Amino acid sequence: MADNNEHVMTIRHSLAHLLAAAVLQMYPGAKNAIGPAIDDGFYQDFDLPEAVSDDDLAKIEARMRDILKTWGAFTRKEVGIDEARQQFSWNPYKLELAEDLAREGAQLTFYTSGDFVDLCRGGHVQDAHEISPKAFRLTRVSGAYWRGDQSKQQLQRIYGVAFETPEELKAYLQMVEEAKRRDHRKLGQELDLFTFSDLVGAGLPLFTPRGTILRRQLDAFVQGMRDEYGYQEVAVPHITKKDAYIASGHWKKFQDELFRITTREGHEFAMKPMNCPHHTQIFASRVRSYKDMPQRYRETTMCYRDEQSGELSGLSRVRAFAQDDAHVFCRTSQVEEEALKIWDIVDRFYGTFGFELRVRFSTHDPAHPEGYSGSAEQWASTEAQLLSIVKQKVGDKYTDGVGEAAFYGPKIDFMAKDALGREHQVATIQLDFNQPEGFDLTCINENGEKERVVMIHAAIMGSIERFLSVYIEHVAGRFPVWLAPEQVRIITLNQQENVVRYADELAGKAKLLGLRAIVDSDNESVGKKIRSAELMKIPYTVVIGDKEIESGQLQPRIRKDMEVGETAEPRTVEEFLKTVANEAKSRVNKTSL
RNA sequence: GCCACCUUAGCUCAGUUGGCUAGAGCACCGCUUUCGUAAAGCGGGGGUCCGGGGUUCGAAUCCCCGAGGUGGCUCCA
């Protein structure tokens, strides 16, 4: 999706200038701030005397097209700070940028197109005629803080999308439409997977029976793999004294985001926002020999974070979520082997769903040491250790995420590319040398000495909610048989007693094979019941009438996406059930009938 | 939390510039029908027009406060 070829980026950046020119003409007193090219388009920030709404975008767009006709080449001019001060005396944002750049010793440049002059470092098209007036569109307005700083003035940001050709714009808009059709919030409602209640609260999803089946299946898959690698399940309470978070270091950084509880005796507790402190105390509950290392704990459990209301969104960002969490307590010498095992699980898990993974090596930001615990030496050594694992695994096919580390250590983050080409951060492997110190975690080594251990945090799905939000959209709600909340819909042709009885018996046989089958014996036409099963995206539908009872053969209808014909050849009941049961067991993505 | 926009039945949405007992389709319930692979017919129930306050002879409609949602910003252990 991200189209980053250089020419289109110059088009986008030039359009930001054009947008600024249009808005400055239309809104006297308007001041433009920054306006870069971004994936898919561009934006421009403004300080405006009045609020722009979505309805105004068409007018602004029309003005942009008018101005575009009058523009020719973009001309560059090197200027000194005094000239910049003079030119932008009306615009405090440009002035601030100019002063900062001058202080850094950078060469200031003006770019002029038509009669619009902007302080800018460049990256425009040579000539404005390279911009197709039919290949861009303004899409939305939003608020944005000056210089991305919450404490500073909020500006109005206008976003646009832009491409080299109108055809590319059209394809992009179609992709956006497709994304709307697949929106997990919409599908969650339509497929009866989860819901929200104003009484329960924002950001607190409630999973229906169907949605809960999905959660269970996914979780069993992840945790089953962990068991293969020697993990042991643990269980902990969902509240803790605040002391645990003071020791872990979380209190300092995240105390505002905790749901706090004061007991009747005045003690301060918090709903757990993560599980590491609890798990450390299981590790610390007895003296550990080096022979017992590593200790690998796994647990799928709810966490609670008091996120800002404006950040909540469907299942992507919630206040209560289930982490498929695991912590490995190991010796420094065991880190590599353990991390590679986790990486295996990540590969197996995402490979099953057809996600392509990209790796990000997330390190601390040396420019802002205040955001991290631990010494510079410790960061250097853990980052080196993690980097060697990354290189061993993917060579140089990873991206650097400077400043993306957790406060307690560096991470390997995995980004999954979905069916529409969008990337989402999913799994993570985190190396933590700080909490073992905070909780004084040790094992006794070969020399009888206490040895500091290392913690590895690893979530495969991240959270079940977030993974579901990505996955529902990835498959557009068409779950493979092993995940489908309802795998087989058994429709009765009519309501004759023998037909309904046969359908119920078939459902019974399916259940004995571990399948999820539901009988629809409503007093509705067959067509209506078929339609209903299709809308619920149920993988297999069979119709039962006298013909099936006499022949013992079924003619299954198969959900369309499975790249198989709509209606399969007839086969015996036993054959059909065996095939479906095998698919469910083997976690294949496609039907095999 | 901040900016903009939005909220009418379980769902999707109509509802003229403020003016009758607030509507439709689907869903749900009942009756008729007993049907062959994407919607059978008829009837019925269901609303504190998100909540509270205000303006007005009169508010779903205008104003204020709050809740929830959407798109961004900020944040994300």
Side-chain angles (χ1 to χ4, degrees):
Chain A
M1 179 171 80
D3 184 354
N4 288 322
N5 89 59
E6 273 181 40
H7 185 242
V8 75
M9 294 309 270
T10 63
I11 289 175
R12 288 168 183 161
H13 179 66
S14 304
L15 280 162
H17 281 245
L18 185 60
L19 172 57
V23 169
L24 260 44
Q25 274 188 15
M26 295 170 74
Y27 295 83
K31 302 173 184 84
N32 57 316
I34 56 163
I38 54 174
D39 280 358
D40 310 326
F42 59 95
Y43 68 78
Q44 174 75 48
D45 287 348
F46 297 97
D47 181 356
L48 293 176
E50 60 186 290
V52 174
S53 79
D54 291 334
D55 305 331
D56 301 319
L57 293 181
K59 278 179 280 177
I60 299 172
E61 213 178 280
R63 180 68 67 95
M64 286 171 72
R65 296 205 167 89
D66 288 343
I67 298 173
L68 181 58
K69 289 176 201 152
T70 70
W71 279 13
F74 278 75
T75 56
R76 179 174 188 275
K77 182 185 177 195
E78 297 190 354
V79 297
I81 183 66
D82 290 334
E83 189 172 349
R85 283 178 186 141
Q86 200 183 344
Q87 176 75 30
F88 289 104
S89 57
W90 56 279
N91 187 327
Y93 306 100
K94 292 289 170 188
L95 277 184
E96 185 178 325
L97 290 175
E99 296 290 350
D100 284 359
L101 287 167
R103 201 171 311 121
E104 289 162 19
Q107 172 66 56
L108 299 179
T109 50
F110 285 176
Y111 277 84
T112 304
S113 40
D115 53 11
F116 178 75
V117 183
D118 202 3
L119 173 77
C120 182
R121 76 168 153 233
H124 310 90
V125 290
Q126 297 277 314
D127 191 286
H129 294 97
E130 292 168 44
I131 300 169
S132 163
K134 286 184 179 159
F136 73 88
R137 180 175 292 183
L138 298 182
T139 49
R140 53 182 181 257
V141 292
S142 78
Y145 299 104
W146 169 235
R147 303 204 130 177
D149 185 338
Q150 205 171 169
S151 68
K152 293 195 168 141
Q153 160 127 23
Q154 185 148 25
L155 306 170
Q156 296 190 61
R157 176 170 296 178
I158 300 178
Y159 283 93
V161 293
F163 297 88
E164 287 180 294
T165 64
E167 291 70 34
E168 286 168 291
L169 175 65
K170 198 175 160 204
Y172 172 83
L173 294 173
Q174 276 170 357
M175 193 279 289
V176 170
E177 283 307 304
E178 177 60 24
K180 271 188 202 156
R181 272 192 290 280
R182 289 168 178 245
D183 191 314
H184 76 276
R185 295 166 297 197
K186 181 168 169 276
L187 288 169
Q189 145 75 18
E190 288 171 2
L191 303 183
D192 190 17
L193 302 174
F194 57 86
T195 187
F196 290 88
S197 156
D198 284 0
L199 287 177
V200 173
L204 301 172
L206 308 167
F207 283 84
T208 62
R210 284 176 182 270
T212 304
I213 289 169
L214 278 176
R215 293 168 63 93
R216 284 261 182 257
Q217 292 294 314
L218 290 167
D219 184 46
F221 183 31
V222 167
Q223 300 295 25
M225 279 191 283
R226 283 198 170 120
D227 285 351
E228 292 175 34
Y229 289 90
Y231 284 72
Q232 296 172 289
E233 188 172 15
V234 295
V236 304
H238 291 203
I239 62 173
T240 319
K241 280 160 62 180
K242 78 185 243 195
D243 308 50
Y245 301 122
I246 292 171
S248 71
H250 288 93
W251 187 264
K252 202 171 112 196
K253 198 166 159 94
F254 296 111
Q255 55 175 301
D256 289 342
E257 282 127 275
L258 297 180
F259 284 109
R260 300 204 211 166
I261 301 163
T262 305
T263 68
R264 58 176 149 181
E265 294 172 354
H267 300 296
E268 209 171 339
F269 283 68
M271 301 292 292
K272 68 181 165 78
M274 83 323 268
N275 309 301
C276 13
H278 287 87
H279 288 183
T280 66
Q281 296 311 293
I282 296 173
F283 178 81
S285 64
R286 48 183 62 222
V287 175
R288 306 289 178 181
S289 158
Y290 71 94
K291 296 173 200 163
D292 298 324
M293 299 296 280
Q295 290 285 307
R296 309 181 189 90
Y297 301 148
R298 51 154 263 228
E299 178 179 12
T300 299
T301 178
M302 300 297 294
C303 293
Y304 308 87
R305 296 178 185 175
D306 188 8
E307 305 287 2
Q308 299 186 79
S309 56
E311 283 155 4
L312 303 173
S313 174
L315 293 184
S316 315
R317 192 75 180 270
V318 291
R319 285 180 169 145
F321 54 95
Q323 276 188 336
D324 59 320
D325 209 0
H327 294 100
V328 177
F329 299 86
C330 64
R331 307 176 76 178
T332 306
S333 59
Q334 296 169 321
V335 165
E336 179 176 315
E337 185 182 349
E338 292 304 312
L340 289 173
K341 282 180 189 172
I342 297 166
W343 201 312
D344 278 352
I345 297 173
V346 170
D347 280 340
R348 284 171 64 186
F349 185 80
Y350 288 95
T352 299
F353 300 108
F355 283 112
E356 200 180 299
L357 287 181
R358 190 170 65 79
V359 175
R360 183 178 71 196
F361 176 49
S362 298
T363 56
H364 78 301
D365 182 355
H368 294 96
E370 69 281 2
Y372 307 93
S373 303
S375 68
E377 295 73 42
Q378 283 174 312
W379 277 97
S381 80
T382 43
E383 285 178 358
Q385 191 170 17
L386 212 50
L387 180 58
S388 88
I389 295 166
V390 169
K391 291 207 155 146
Q392 178 182 337
K393 200 70 188 168
V394 295
D396 56 5
K397 280 197 262 171
Y398 66 91
T399 55
D400 280 311
V402 176
E404 299 285 345
F407 74 86
Y408 46 68
K411 308 190 286 182
I412 301 170
D413 292 318
F414 295 87
M415 330 293 272
K417 193 186 232 189
D418 74 13
L420 296 185
R422 302 170 300 183
E423 274 202 341
H424 311 269
Q425 190 184 329
V426 285
T428 176
I429 303 175
Q430 312 179 355
L431 202 50
D432 181 359
F433 52 92
N434 274 297
Q435 292 193 64
E437 284 196 7
F439 291 106
D440 192 23
L441 305 180
T442 58
C443 66
I444 305 301
N445 68 14
E446 295 88 333
N447 304 319
E449 303 156 339
K450 279 188 179 178
E451 180 180 305
R452 175 72 65 221
V453 305
V454 179
M455 264 176 97
I456 304 174
H457 308 242
I460 306 300
M461 287 186 270
S463 81
I464 296 182
E465 288 74 11
R466 193 152 45 89
F467 179 76
L468 269 176
S469 75
V470 171
Y471 184 61
I472 289 170
E473 298 185 6
H474 180 57
V475 296
R478 294 180 293 231
F479 303 111
V481 170
W482 71 277
L483 279 174
E486 182 182 344
Q487 296 161 320
V488 181
R489 173 75 56 100
I490 302 166
I491 290 172
T492 63
L493 180 67
N494 52 41
Q495 295 189 303
Q496 286 166 28
E497 197 196 330
N498 64 319
V499 171
V500 175
R501 189 172 59 240
Y502 189 89
D504 285 338
E505 283 167 8
L506 179 58
K509 285 182 190 169
K511 276 171 197 158
L512 281 177
L513 289 167
L515 292 173
R516 298 179 287 273
I518 290 177
V519 174
D520 182 353
S521 56
D522 284 358
N523 182 13
E524 294 288 352
S525 65
V526 174
K528 176 78 165 288
K529 291 196 271 189
I530 291 282
R531 177 178 151 84
S532 162
E534 287 281 355
L535 290 173
M536 291 302 281
K537 306 184 195 287
I538 292 156
Y540 291 105
T541 304
V542 293
V543 176
I544 301 299
D546 285 330
K547 197 172 82 186
E548 283 72 24
I549 298 175
E550 278 161 30
S551 68
Q553 301 238 311
L554 300 173
Q555 188 172 18
R557 184 183 175 88
I558 299 166
R559 192 179 52 194
K560 276 180 192 165
D561 67 290
M562 292 301 201
E563 296 178 25
V564 182
E566 281 187 31
T567 322
E569 290 303 301
R571 65 207 60 239
T572 66
V573 170
E574 285 67 32
E575 258 184 294
F576 171 71
L577 291 177
K578 210 173 104 187
T579 308
V580 179
N582 281 339
E583 279 175 24
K585 210 176 297 171
S586 61
R587 297 198 176 98
V588 294
N589 282 318
K590 294 200 167 79
T591 53
S592 43
L593 274 181

